[in-house]
PDB file of all heavy atoms in Angstrom:
ATOM      1  N   ASP L1412     257.472-158.818  17.142  1.00 45.00           N
ATOM      2  CA  ASP L1412     257.476-159.964  17.975  1.00 45.00           C
ATOM      3  C   ASP L1412     256.075-160.132  18.664  1.00 45.00           C
ATOM      4  O   ASP L1412     255.663-159.264  19.384  1.00 45.00           O
ATOM      5  CB  ASP L1412     258.556-159.864  19.047  1.00 45.00           C
ATOM      6  CG  ASP L1412     258.612-161.014  20.056  1.00 45.00           C
ATOM      7  OD1 ASP L1412     257.765-161.872  19.988  1.00 45.00           O
ATOM      8  OD2 ASP L1412     259.531-160.945  20.879  1.00 45.00           O
ATOM      9  N   VAL L1424     254.886-147.190  16.016  1.00 94.00           N
ATOM     10  CA  VAL L1424     253.456-147.364  15.951  1.00 94.00           C
ATOM     11  C   VAL L1424     252.862-146.350  15.006  1.00 94.00           C
ATOM     12  O   VAL L1424     253.171-145.134  15.040  1.00 94.00           O
ATOM     13  CB  VAL L1424     252.821-147.121  17.355  1.00 94.00           C
ATOM     14  CG1 VAL L1424     251.307-147.220  17.282  1.00 94.00           C
ATOM     15  CG2 VAL L1424     253.357-148.199  18.357  1.00 94.00           C
ATOM     16  N   VAL L1425     251.947-146.756  14.133  1.00 96.00           N
ATOM     17  CA  VAL L1425     251.185-145.920  13.243  1.00 96.00           C
ATOM     18  C   VAL L1425     249.754-146.132  13.606  1.00 96.00           C
ATOM     19  O   VAL L1425     249.199-147.212  13.638  1.00 96.00           O
ATOM     20  CB  VAL L1425     251.461-146.254  11.761  1.00 96.00           C
ATOM     21  CG1 VAL L1425     250.598-145.355  10.852  1.00 96.00           C
ATOM     22  CG2 VAL L1425     252.881-146.152  11.385  1.00 96.00           C
ATOM     23  N   VAL L1428     243.040-143.388  11.640  1.00 98.00           N
ATOM     24  CA  VAL L1428     241.822-142.858  12.105  1.00 98.00           C
ATOM     25  C   VAL L1428     240.954-142.560  10.774  1.00 98.00           C
ATOM     26  O   VAL L1428     241.493-141.953   9.882  1.00 98.00           O
ATOM     27  CB  VAL L1428     241.974-141.505  12.857  1.00 98.00           C
ATOM     28  CG1 VAL L1428     240.606-140.926  13.250  1.00 98.00           C
ATOM     29  CG2 VAL L1428     242.873-141.699  14.068  1.00 98.00           C
ATOM     30  N   TYR L1431     234.420-139.016   8.740  1.00 97.00           N
ATOM     31  CA  TYR L1431     233.483-138.529   7.778  1.00 97.00           C
ATOM     32  C   TYR L1431     232.613-137.484   8.418  1.00 97.00           C
ATOM     33  O   TYR L1431     231.806-137.864   9.343  1.00 97.00           O
ATOM     34  CB  TYR L1431     232.611-139.601   7.136  1.00 97.00           C
ATOM     35  CG  TYR L1431     231.552-139.026   6.229  1.00 97.00           C
ATOM     36  CD1 TYR L1431     231.879-138.454   5.028  1.00 97.00           C
ATOM     37  CD2 TYR L1431     230.237-139.101   6.594  1.00 97.00           C
ATOM     38  CE1 TYR L1431     230.977-137.950   4.128  1.00 97.00           C
ATOM     39  CE2 TYR L1431     229.260-138.488   5.777  1.00 97.00           C
ATOM     40  CZ  TYR L1431     229.606-137.960   4.591  1.00 97.00           C
ATOM     41  OH  TYR L1431     228.670-137.411   3.742  1.00 97.00           O
ATOM     42  N   ASN L1432     232.779-136.212   8.096  1.00 97.00           N
ATOM     43  CA  ASN L1432     231.961-135.147   8.659  1.00 97.00           C
ATOM     44  C   ASN L1432     231.858-135.144  10.174  1.00 97.00           C
ATOM     45  O   ASN L1432     230.747-134.914  10.718  1.00 97.00           O
ATOM     46  CB  ASN L1432     230.514-135.194   8.073  1.00 97.00           C
ATOM     47  CG  ASN L1432     230.486-134.736   6.623  1.00 97.00           C
ATOM     48  OD1 ASN L1432     231.465-134.163   6.088  1.00 97.00           O
ATOM     49  ND2 ASN L1432     229.398-135.002   5.956  1.00 97.00           N
ATOM     50  N   LEU L1436     234.666-134.674  16.801  1.00 97.00           N
ATOM     51  CA  LEU L1436     235.087-136.033  17.279  1.00 97.00           C
ATOM     52  C   LEU L1436     236.504-136.380  16.775  1.00 97.00           C
ATOM     53  O   LEU L1436     237.274-136.906  17.511  1.00 97.00           O
ATOM     54  CB  LEU L1436     234.112-137.032  16.766  1.00 97.00           C
ATOM     55  CG  LEU L1436     234.339-138.477  17.292  1.00 97.00           C
ATOM     56  CD1 LEU L1436     234.363-138.508  18.792  1.00 97.00           C
ATOM     57  CD2 LEU L1436     233.295-139.445  16.722  1.00 97.00           C
ATOM     58  N   ASP L1442     243.628-135.578  19.701  1.00 96.00           N
ATOM     59  CA  ASP L1442     244.103-135.142  20.999  1.00 96.00           C
ATOM     60  C   ASP L1442     244.392-136.346  21.906  1.00 96.00           C
ATOM     61  O   ASP L1442     245.434-136.360  22.642  1.00 96.00           O
ATOM     62  CB  ASP L1442     243.180-134.187  21.708  1.00 96.00           C
ATOM     63  CG  ASP L1442     243.076-132.794  21.122  1.00 96.00           C
ATOM     64  OD1 ASP L1442     243.987-132.469  20.167  1.00 96.00           O
ATOM     65  OD2 ASP L1442     242.077-132.048  21.391  1.00 96.00           O
ATOM     66  N   GLN L1447     248.807-139.978  24.574  1.00 91.00           N
ATOM     67  CA  GLN L1447     249.142-141.259  25.070  1.00 91.00           C
ATOM     68  C   GLN L1447     250.546-141.223  25.701  1.00 91.00           C
ATOM     69  O   GLN L1447     251.430-140.496  25.281  1.00 91.00           O
ATOM     70  CB  GLN L1447     249.174-142.331  23.945  1.00 91.00           C
ATOM     71  CG  GLN L1447     247.814-142.563  23.274  1.00 91.00           C
ATOM     72  CD  GLN L1447     246.873-143.177  24.250  1.00 91.00           C
ATOM     73  OE1 GLN L1447     247.087-144.271  24.842  1.00 91.00           O
ATOM     74  NE2 GLN L1447     245.712-142.574  24.465  1.00 91.00           N
ATOM     75  N   THR L1448     250.755-142.125  26.701  1.00 88.00           N
ATOM     76  CA  THR L1448     252.100-142.178  27.289  1.00 88.00           C
ATOM     77  C   THR L1448     253.221-142.445  26.199  1.00 88.00           C
ATOM     78  O   THR L1448     254.273-141.851  26.209  1.00 88.00           O
ATOM     79  CB  THR L1448     252.153-143.275  28.394  1.00 88.00           C
ATOM     80  OG1 THR L1448     251.121-143.018  29.281  1.00 88.00           O
ATOM     81  CG2 THR L1448     253.510-143.328  29.068  1.00 88.00           C
ATOM     82  N   ASN L1453     253.390-142.025  13.704  1.00 96.00           N
ATOM     83  CA  ASN L1453     252.650-141.408  12.632  1.00 96.00           C
ATOM     84  C   ASN L1453     251.194-141.536  12.891  1.00 96.00           C
ATOM     85  O   ASN L1453     250.755-142.553  13.474  1.00 96.00           O
ATOM     86  CB  ASN L1453     253.007-142.023  11.304  1.00 96.00           C
ATOM     87  CG  ASN L1453     254.501-141.886  10.978  1.00 96.00           C
ATOM     88  OD1 ASN L1453     255.219-142.780  11.242  1.00 96.00           O
ATOM     89  ND2 ASN L1453     254.852-140.836  10.348  1.00 96.00           N
ATOM     90  N   VAL L1455     247.755-141.549  10.498  1.00 98.00           N
ATOM     91  CA  VAL L1455     247.172-141.518   9.255  1.00 98.00           C
ATOM     92  C   VAL L1455     245.648-141.283   9.406  1.00 98.00           C
ATOM     93  O   VAL L1455     244.936-142.072  10.100  1.00 98.00           O
ATOM     94  CB  VAL L1455     247.379-142.898   8.494  1.00 98.00           C
ATOM     95  CG1 VAL L1455     246.674-142.877   7.109  1.00 98.00           C
ATOM     96  CG2 VAL L1455     248.832-143.172   8.304  1.00 98.00           C
ATOM     97  N   VAL L1457     242.186-140.915   7.451  1.00 98.00           N
ATOM     98  CA  VAL L1457     241.438-141.178   6.159  1.00 98.00           C
ATOM     99  C   VAL L1457     240.166-140.364   6.246  1.00 98.00           C
ATOM    100  O   VAL L1457     239.302-140.643   7.014  1.00 98.00           O
ATOM    101  CB  VAL L1457     241.158-142.672   5.911  1.00 98.00           C
ATOM    102  CG1 VAL L1457     240.468-142.885   4.606  1.00 98.00           C
ATOM    103  CG2 VAL L1457     242.471-143.458   5.975  1.00 98.00           C
ATOM    104  N   ALA L1460     235.649-138.363   2.224  1.00 96.00           N
ATOM    105  CA  ALA L1460     235.005-137.369   1.381  1.00 96.00           C
ATOM    106  C   ALA L1460     234.083-136.434   2.181  1.00 96.00           C
ATOM    107  O   ALA L1460     232.951-136.120   1.764  1.00 96.00           O
ATOM    108  CB  ALA L1460     234.223-138.052   0.248  1.00 96.00           C
ATOM    109  N   ASP L1462     232.360-133.158   3.703  1.00 95.00           N
ATOM    110  CA  ASP L1462     231.977-131.915   3.058  1.00 95.00           C
ATOM    111  C   ASP L1462     231.679-130.816   4.077  1.00 95.00           C
ATOM    112  O   ASP L1462     230.783-130.001   3.870  1.00 95.00           O
ATOM    113  CB  ASP L1462     230.800-132.097   2.045  1.00 95.00           C
ATOM    114  CG  ASP L1462     229.579-132.727   2.681  1.00 95.00           C
ATOM    115  OD1 ASP L1462     229.589-132.836   3.946  1.00 95.00           O
ATOM    116  OD2 ASP L1462     228.724-133.076   1.978  1.00 95.00           O
ATOM    117  N   LEU L1468     240.101-128.674   9.169  1.00 92.00           N
ATOM    118  CA  LEU L1468     240.879-129.138  10.358  1.00 92.00           C
ATOM    119  C   LEU L1468     242.058-129.954   9.921  1.00 92.00           C
ATOM    120  O   LEU L1468     243.145-129.768  10.427  1.00 92.00           O
ATOM    121  CB  LEU L1468     239.953-130.009  11.232  1.00 92.00           C
ATOM    122  CG  LEU L1468     240.651-130.671  12.396  1.00 92.00           C
ATOM    123  CD1 LEU L1468     241.008-129.679  13.459  1.00 92.00           C
ATOM    124  CD2 LEU L1468     239.698-131.705  13.038  1.00 92.00           C
ATOM    125  N   ILE L1478     244.764-139.002   3.919  1.00 97.00           N
ATOM    126  CA  ILE L1478     244.252-139.601   2.691  1.00 97.00           C
ATOM    127  C   ILE L1478     242.856-139.101   2.493  1.00 97.00           C
ATOM    128  O   ILE L1478     241.995-139.278   3.312  1.00 97.00           O
ATOM    129  CB  ILE L1478     244.234-141.147   2.757  1.00 97.00           C
ATOM    130  CG1 ILE L1478     245.608-141.634   3.088  1.00 97.00           C
ATOM    131  CG2 ILE L1478     243.686-141.753   1.468  1.00 97.00           C
ATOM    132  CD1 ILE L1478     245.632-143.138   3.413  1.00 97.00           C
ATOM    133  N   GLY L1485     232.964-145.931   3.353  1.00 95.00           N
ATOM    134  CA  GLY L1485     232.594-146.539   4.619  1.00 95.00           C
ATOM    135  C   GLY L1485     233.756-146.780   5.572  1.00 95.00           C
ATOM    136  O   GLY L1485     234.938-146.526   5.225  1.00 95.00           O
ATOM    137  N   SER L1487     235.116-149.580   6.821  1.00 96.00           N
ATOM    138  CA  SER L1487     236.069-150.640   6.429  1.00 96.00           C
ATOM    139  C   SER L1487     236.868-150.220   5.233  1.00 96.00           C
ATOM    140  O   SER L1487     238.123-150.553   5.235  1.00 96.00           O
ATOM    141  CB  SER L1487     235.327-151.953   6.163  1.00 96.00           C
ATOM    142  OG  SER L1487     234.367-151.793   5.076  1.00 96.00           O
TER     143      SER L1487
END
Side-chain angles (χ1 to χ4, degrees):
D1412 175 356
V1424 175
V1425 178
V1428 179
Y1431 173 71
N1432 285 348
L1436 185 58
D1442 289 346
Q1447 296 295 305
T1448 303
N1453 301 91
V1455 176
V1457 181
D1462 57 9
L1468 175 69
I1478 301 170
S1487 61

